[in-house]
Amino acid sequence: IMARPLLLPLVLLAALGVTSASKSVLVLLQNVNTADKYSKFFGSLRDYGFDVSVKGVKDSTLKLKEYGTWLYDDLVLFAPQTEGFGGKIDRQVILDFVDSGHNVLMALNSDASESMRNLAAEFGIDVDDRGSKVYDHFSHATLNGKEDHTLIAGGNIVDVPVMVGGPYKEPVLFRGIASVIPGDAELATVALGAPSTSYSHAPKQAMLEPPSLMVGSSISLVTAVQARNNARVVVAGSLEMFTDDFFDAVVTVNGVSTHTANWAFTVTLARWAFQDRGVLVASNMRHHLLGSDEQPWGYRVNDDVEFLVDVVEVDGGVPKPFAADDIQLEFIMLNPYIRQPLQHDGNGTFSLRFKVPDVYGVFKYYIDYAHCGYSYIKLTHQVPVRPFKHNEYERFLVCAYPYYASAISIMVGFFALGFFYLYNK
Amino acid sequence: MSTMSAVKPSAGPEPYVSHASLFETAKRYLTKTKSQELLLRSIILIFVYLLAFCIRLFSVLRYESVIHEFDPYFNYRSTINLVQDGFYEFWNWFDAESWHPLGRVVGGTVYPGLMFTAAILYKVSKFLTACIKLRDICVFTAPFFAGNTALIAYLFGKELKDMETGLVAAVLMAVVPGYISRSVAGSFDNEAVAIFALVTTFYLWVRAVNQGTIASAVLAAFAYLYMAASWGAYVFISNLIPLYVIIMFVSGRYSRRIYVAYTTFWAVGSLLAMQVRFIGFNHVTSNELLSFNGVFVGLQVWEALVFLRTKLGTKQFGQLLYLTAVAAGAVGAAGTAILVLSGKLNPWTGRFWTLLDPTYAKKFIPIVASVSEHQPTTWASYIFDLHVLVFAAPAGLYFCFKRPTDGTIFLTVFALTAIYFSGIMVRLMLVAAPAFVLLSAIAISSILQSASKELRAPAAAETKTSPVATRRGRGSTSNEENITTKKSTNLIILGLTFLAMWSYSSHSIWVTSEAYSSPSIVLISGWGPHRVVLDDFREAYYWLRHNTAPDAKVMSWWDYGYQITAMGNRTVIVDNNTWNNTHIATVGRAMASNETEAYKIMRQLDVDYALVIFGGLSGYSSDDINKFLWMVRIGGGVFPVIKESDYLANGDYTVSSRGTQTMLNSLMYKLSYYDFGNIMTEHGKGTGYDRVRNYEIGKKDIQLDHLYEAFTSEHWIVRIYRVKDLENRF
């Protein structure tokens, strides 16, 4: 019990340490010579302080981990067609990488290999069959005078500025493969959804009747996943959307000529994926009885208490106070007895004053904050609530005066009667 | 001896007069019959005391100085708390480490007599600068109190009949197996001191009835306080004494002495017992004590009527009596109706029915029926626990009826009720043992007295009459023959009694050493060179203590709760206190569900580790698979989704491949048999052969999704699994 208040700040310090350090990114390309195609994307990442190293996916010296230490913080997989990795990387290493809190950005295309498809499936994303493309006969773009029904320009950008930036006036260009996330997926967010008029189809295969499930807005073009340990994974169905060509393109959509939002969209999303945006750090959780500063071992029923926690949002390595009205605090013993939003003071301190319920037991404070785009805050802290001690009850009760009176009158009466009986002969 | 000492001082000139005079004093003192008798009696009692203490040390010699079984571990833990934190902290103790997350108000749900006793013994020994570990104090509390009980049995026997009876009672009490079963060294349970308190209360009560003084009744009330503070069976006393008063009243033996004794006992005893937090106002409002309070009121009414009769005329008194009777009847009926309708008075509780109908619990209260010591008693266990007393006690009853006194009538009432209750529950054999001992003591001492008197009397007569006989010549031969046959009959009686006592004592010693000295946390199987010590329980509990987070929660069946908190120092979900049936049913449901369902329940209860006891490898038969049907029944009693029939293959409980899918996929089955399919246990059998059930298990490739194996003890008796967190990426 003593160790816990100490431990938490330590853990958080460690977390802060990771976010503020220069972050190293390993980029794996199908062909290391094609790095120039993404020069603007990588350049922007470098501008944001990322240490980007670009390597070929079959490079025999590849490794993510050395002597139990992870060499990189983030991994970019721009090698959709590859079936395997060079060096000491394989699927399990990448999964361990994520499970130990690191981030992956992967881009696919219509020819995405089986191993990439399986990797995406490990994050809960179902990618459509090999060779299929997303078509849209209504909201597609014309690039360089060439009309292309697979060049989607009407995608729905999710309204989470912390994740994707925006709002954008220009469209995000997309050409690639469709994926879907299961309806009950808790961790995945569709960062870029397909227009409702789109569908996924492999041109070399006969169209299914009725068409496959990947139709309209159920298609996810770019999917963002935040694992329970706050590691982030972004799976984009199009590799081309990261290229300089798409960044600089001027396209015609429904007769209107426009620039694209790809640059801002992809870089913001990548920063989000690499924990450069939307990171919440909760620290210094504390609670005390009103009128006392000490953190007690437990409470008594009906105590008035205050719970406080500091939450900062780390953006680009800079912590700043977080402000939200929807962080809920629960006070649980089997069931939540209290469930109320925390009040914040504008300086990142969230607090709630409440009366401990009139029930004893081992309660726990519980915060499970999962706001889309932000890292999860999950805090539990156990507080026993004990009943009154024998000397904490009221000593003389007004409602008991008749009983006191009866007891005293009996005693007096007995004494008087005894005296009378014994000495009045 | 006296002649020797008489010669010695006069043998030579003695320069030290004082020396001689001291010796003389001692000699003079020892030649008196009365003081010889006192000396002999003291020596006997000291030996009885030592015998009672020492016979209970088998467990320490065979094993070690450890606390036994289940409940004693809670008592031990509470005693530590009491000694460390003091009286008030203990009184207000809210235990957050058991019944997670409900917690338990220990101070208000415990009979603290035992802990106070041990703590006081510890403080006294510390004050006397004796350096005794608290654990050893706790281990030896029961034998110490067994010695005290034997002394009280002496006093009780003396009060009931005479000193000889007392001595026989003390000896019988010292070694009666029914009592030894709950009072060997290490058995630090409520019963260890409660039997002492019970016998003391009864003794002081009989003394109070015999003396009829307020002081003696107050003394009895204090003994009753000790009993009420120690064991829930105090209600036995507070029902037996009113019953006795009623019987005395009906049989016309009611006297002012009984009135004084009962009234004082009621007033002081009630007030004192109410000071125990667990009892409190229950002592006034509980149905179980209805007769205790009712008889008090009845006695007051009776005495008031008697008083009025002396003051009023017969006619007036008759009218008054009529009026009072009608009024009392009306008020009583109305009061009862109101109480029953408002739900305050509900006499037909489970506990009530359990005592009247031995099969009630088995049918309706699985949690009561699941405990082995709540099973009905078999005849064999009467012989096992009481041996020759079973046959001697009826003779004692005969002697009681032959010359009834207030005391022997009380003993009769006590014995008859105790015999009835001991027939319902094995555990209550403990209460019957003192009754059997006292009845048998009366029988045996009566037989011995009459036999030895007759043996001695003719001899005395012979020496007196011998000169006459020689003078008269032939006349007394037939008389002499008669005397010799009588003599031999008496000798045979004495011999038989001796044989009976001898076989009783050897039986007691054998039972104690073989059956009642196992601490049950250390198991020994085999004999001689094939001896195997199974110390898996402590191994596993110490593993928990040293390898898990201090606030880790462990889910196990309630039997092991006390041990895990005491030895493992970890929080448990349910324990042997069984105060919340729903919570136990939730754990039973988790054990009986499939892994996915169980995982939901375990997450809701914050469970970090699941612990099961498994005997399939070692042959330890009281393991969780054998208790599993109780978990199903208790779980099903609250959550109807759990159905007992789902776990039975055509009415047959089996772990083999004939078992139902529900059974083979239940969490308990998986946790017990995880990895067991790869093990060869017995020659000539396939892998995964369960040595307790004698079956090859039905499912050998058990996969766990939400738990993983964290620890398995040396003989696989204790298996501990860690509950995984939610999947990181789904």
Side-chain angles (χ1 to χ4, degrees), chain B residues 441-572:
Chain B
I442 288 177
I444 290 167
S445 81
S446 300
I447 291 169
L448 286 181
Q449 269 170 353
S450 73
S452 52
K453 203 187 276 169
E454 284 187 21
L455 256 186
R456 245 189 247 166
E462 212 175 5
T463 45
K464 261 187 203 167
T465 53
S466 57
V468 188
T470 39
R471 232 175 279 159
R472 284 197 185 168
R474 278 183 162 190
S476 64
T477 2
S478 63
N479 193 27
E480 255 172 52
E481 268 173 24
N482 195 15
I483 285 166
T484 34
T485 40
K486 239 185 172 176
K487 200 171 176 181
S488 57
T489 326
N490 284 321
L491 274 176
I492 290 171
I493 289 176
L494 282 182
L496 282 179
T497 315
F498 173 76
L499 268 181
M501 288 300 95
W502 183 70
S503 74
Y504 171 71
S505 63
S506 55
H507 171 80
S508 298
I509 292 168
W510 175 78
V511 164
T512 312
S513 80
E514 295 299 320
Y516 289 144
S517 291
S518 165
S520 93
I521 56 158
V522 186
L523 309 162
I524 292 184
S525 72
W527 188 83
H530 306 292
R531 208 167 108 117
V532 182
V533 178
L534 309 178
D535 204 357
D536 287 38
F537 287 101
R538 288 191 292 181
E539 184 192 348
Y541 296 144
Y542 288 124
W543 182 88
L544 276 177
R545 179 182 274 265
H546 294 295
N547 294 284
T548 60
D551 61 346
K553 280 89 186 166
V554 182
M555 181 178 84
S556 71
W557 192 234
W558 59 265
D559 297 24
Y560 318 106
Y562 279 164
Q563 294 183 345
I564 294 171
T565 31
M567 279 188 270
N569 197 20
R570 292 296 174 264
T571 308
V572 293

Side-chain angles (χ1 to χ4, degrees), chain B residues 378-419:
Chain B
T378 58
W379 271 111
S381 63
Y382 275 100
I383 304 292
F384 195 72
D385 278 350
L386 301 169
H387 197 243
V388 76
L389 305 187
V390 175
F391 309 105
L397 273 182
Y398 163 75
F399 284 109
C400 284
F401 275 119
K402 201 176 162 197
R403 225 171 286 113
T405 63
D406 289 355
T408 52
I409 290 175
F410 179 78
L411 178 62
T412 315
V413 177
F414 169 37
L416 292 178
T417 45
I419 290 167

